Amino acid sequence: MIDLQHEARQLIAALDLTNLNDDCTPADIDALIARAATPEGAVAAICIWPRFVAQARAGLPASIRLATVVNFPAGGEDVDASVAETAQAVADGADEIDLVIAWRRVAADPGFIERQVRAVKAAAGSATLKTILETGELADPDLILSACEAALGGGTDFLKTSTGKTAVSATPEAGRILLQAIRAHGGTVGFKPSGGIKSFEDAKLYRDMATEICGEAYPTPERFRLGASGVLTDLLSVARGEGRDGAKAGY
């Protein structure tokens, strides 16, 4: 029998609790930190704008990692700017960097993506690098795979689907491509679906897929994350065995 409460707690432990709203305020960051350590266990990380990293570092428990975004959300081509943004974020206390690649360059010049990832990885130092491929905009499976291979060649620590700022975010079809690329690369790089994850069932689907493709031992918080904001409410309801109101929102 499947223990849904246990599974919900595992998903909470893999969550990058996110606020990347354009109107995010310092008070919103304090509220995010307060939500991150739940009675059912802490989330893996919070993910926020770079301008709030220093504030969050001062108030975030050491057991919860601090992630921020660079080259976000547009995915521009100025590598020097992304490197500088990364270096500042790490100096401010970021544990993890979520980089948006210049996804418009994938079709014509995947080598540019590999160089971009490698440069930001070097600037990140010991911080974890998650590479956002913007799979909903790439759309074509061959382009998504090409982006995966370029990011893996550049030394990324995670492949991440989306910014959550486009019409199409994470999809099972894109997630499968990312996971198959990770398996082909040795199965040690992490996987982060993000955007559009609105319910326990959405989150569980991706964790089950990661297990299916990369093995039972794969989806720990060190290698499997979920990028979302509103899904925590639903995960907590399932973890507590409570009724669910259906009001589920994802970033």
Side-chain angles (χ1 to χ4, degrees):
M1 180 177 177
I2 297 174
D3 185 342
L4 296 183
Q5 291 176 258
H6 175 68
E7 291 215 22
R9 293 186 190 103
Q10 288 183 315
L11 292 167
I12 291 168
L15 182 62
D16 284 5
L17 187 63
T18 300
N19 189 331
L20 294 169
N21 296 333
D22 292 339
D23 60 354
C24 185
T25 67
D28 293 330
I29 297 302
D30 290 339
L32 194 74
I33 292 171
R35 291 182 66 211
T38 86
E40 302 299 328
V43 303
I46 64 168
C47 187
I48 58 177
W49 291 106
R51 64 184 180 271
F52 296 118
V53 167
Q55 172 194 340
R57 182 75 284 162
L60 191 68
S63 59
I64 300 173
R65 291 176 68 81
L66 176 51
T68 192
V69 291
V70 302
N71 205 30
F72 187 97
E77 299 182 9
D78 189 337
V79 175
D80 289 343
S82 295
V83 165
E85 196 174 15
T86 299
Q88 184 62 59
V90 171
D92 287 345
D95 300 306
E96 303 180 356
I97 301 295
D98 289 28
L99 161 73
V100 187
I101 61 166
W103 53 268
R104 298 167 189 83
R105 292 282 293 267
V106 170
D109 188 8
F112 179 88
I113 306 303
E114 182 171 338
R115 295 188 296 274
Q116 181 182 36
V117 171
R118 185 176 294 112
V120 173
K121 173 65 176 170
S126 61
T128 298
L129 177 62
K130 306 192 206 90
T131 300
I132 304 172
L133 307 181
E134 204 68 287
T135 55
E137 294 296 296
L138 291 174
D140 182 89
D142 289 339
L143 288 181
I144 295 172
L145 179 57
S146 181
C148 290
E149 292 173 342
L152 291 166
T156 191
D157 299 304
F158 268 75
L159 294 180
K160 177 177 172 180
T161 59
S162 321
T163 60
K165 299 288 188 179
T166 57
V168 178
S169 293
T171 65
E173 294 78 13
R176 186 166 292 273
I177 295 169
L178 269 61
L179 284 163
Q180 288 171 339
I182 288 166
R183 183 180 63 187
H185 194 72
T188 59
V189 168
F191 168 61
K192 180 179 173 180
S194 61
I197 300 171
K198 301 178 181 180
S199 68
F200 166 78
E201 289 79 10
D202 293 339
K204 183 176 182 299
L205 181 152
Y206 287 108
R207 191 176 191 278
D208 289 349
M209 186 186 299
T211 299
E212 171 202 340
I213 294 172
C214 292
E216 290 284 343
Y218 177 82
T220 65
E222 290 72 35
R223 285 187 298 235
F224 175 74
R225 299 288 183 84
L226 299 158
S229 56
V231 74
L232 179 59
T233 299
D234 196 45
L235 294 179
L236 287 170
S237 294
V238 176
R240 294 165 178 161
E242 298 174 348
R244 300 160 70 195
D245 62 13
K248 309 176 190 77
Y251 102 95

